[in-house]
Amino acid sequence: VTGVDISATALERAAGHAQDAGVSARTQFERRDLSETFPAGQFDLICALYLHSPVAFPRDQVLRTAAAAVAPGGLLLVVEHASVAPWSCAAQGTVFAPPEQLRDALELRADQWQAVFVGAPERQLAGPGSQVATVKDNVLVFRRLTV
Ligand SMILES: C[S@@+](CC[C@H](N)C(=O)[O-])C[C@H]1O[C@@H](n2cnc3c(N)ncnc32)[C@H](O)[C@@H]1O
């Protein structure tokens, strides 16, 4: 498993979680600006989880690069925020694009990819001070066909 982030803090935390789970030997963490470089090779599963940035960032291009690195038969999973929790520092009232907009931006060829799931499910999220809120994520799962 290869974990990538631009933030050393995020990578340290991820390595700590891997150690706590006893899987360090099967993980590696790489500090990269994904707008500039992407790990070499092909992957059976690529997850992009809440890959958001407060600064200008060619996210759609990064996600297209990620898709290109999925091995035949493998999966691309993208999860992104689709609502703002009440305690979030993000602007309340932010309007999020529907998951279909990211699906289109990925530019996945229909003869090479099967859409497994494209939707915006809700989930319960615990926040500070025992707060709980219902939030929404855009979730997209595509399988790369072996043809
Ligand atoms: C909302 S956090 C999500 C963190 C983690 N993936 C999770 O699901 O908990 C967004 C992450 O994207 C990372 N990020 C933002 N821009 C990046 C870039 N250009 N290259 C690599 N990582 C980036 C940030 O450092 C941050 O850790």
Side-chain angles (χ1 to χ4, degrees):
V1 173
T2 302
V4 179
D5 201 290
I6 198 171
S7 157
T9 302
L11 295 171
E12 275 168 30
R13 289 189 185 172
H17 290 312
Q19 189 158 8
D20 292 346
V23 297
S24 287
R26 289 188 281 141
T27 59
Q28 59 183 29
F29 296 97
E30 300 178 1
R31 188 173 184 201
R32 288 176 186 270
D33 179 346
L34 286 166
S35 63
E36 294 185 354
T37 63
F38 197 87
Q42 286 200 311
F43 300 88
D44 294 327
L45 171 64
I46 295 184
C47 303
L49 304 177
Y50 306 103
L51 182 57
H52 300 283
S53 175
V55 299
F57 170 57
R59 203 172 72 106
D60 292 349
Q61 180 56 52
V62 169
L63 294 174
R64 287 193 289 268
T65 301
V70 174
L75 290 171
L76 174 69
L77 164 65
V78 183
V79 182
E80 60 178 13
H81 292 297
S83 71
V84 177
W87 54 82
S88 171
C89 57
Q92 300 295 324
T94 301
V95 177
F96 292 85
E100 292 77 14
Q101 187 166 318
L102 177 57
R103 176 200 62 197
D104 294 346
L106 291 174
E107 298 176 353
L108 302 177
R109 283 177 47 172
D111 60 340
Q112 294 180 353
W113 292 86
Q114 173 201 3
V116 179
F117 184 83
V118 176
E122 293 183 340
R123 65 187 166 97
Q124 294 292 106
L125 181 64
S130 312
Q131 295 178 78
V132 177
T134 301
V135 294
K136 217 160 65 162
D137 298 314
N138 287 338
V139 178
L140 298 92
V141 184
F142 290 89
R143 182 179 298 284
R144 184 172 209 144
L145 303 176
T146 50
V147 291

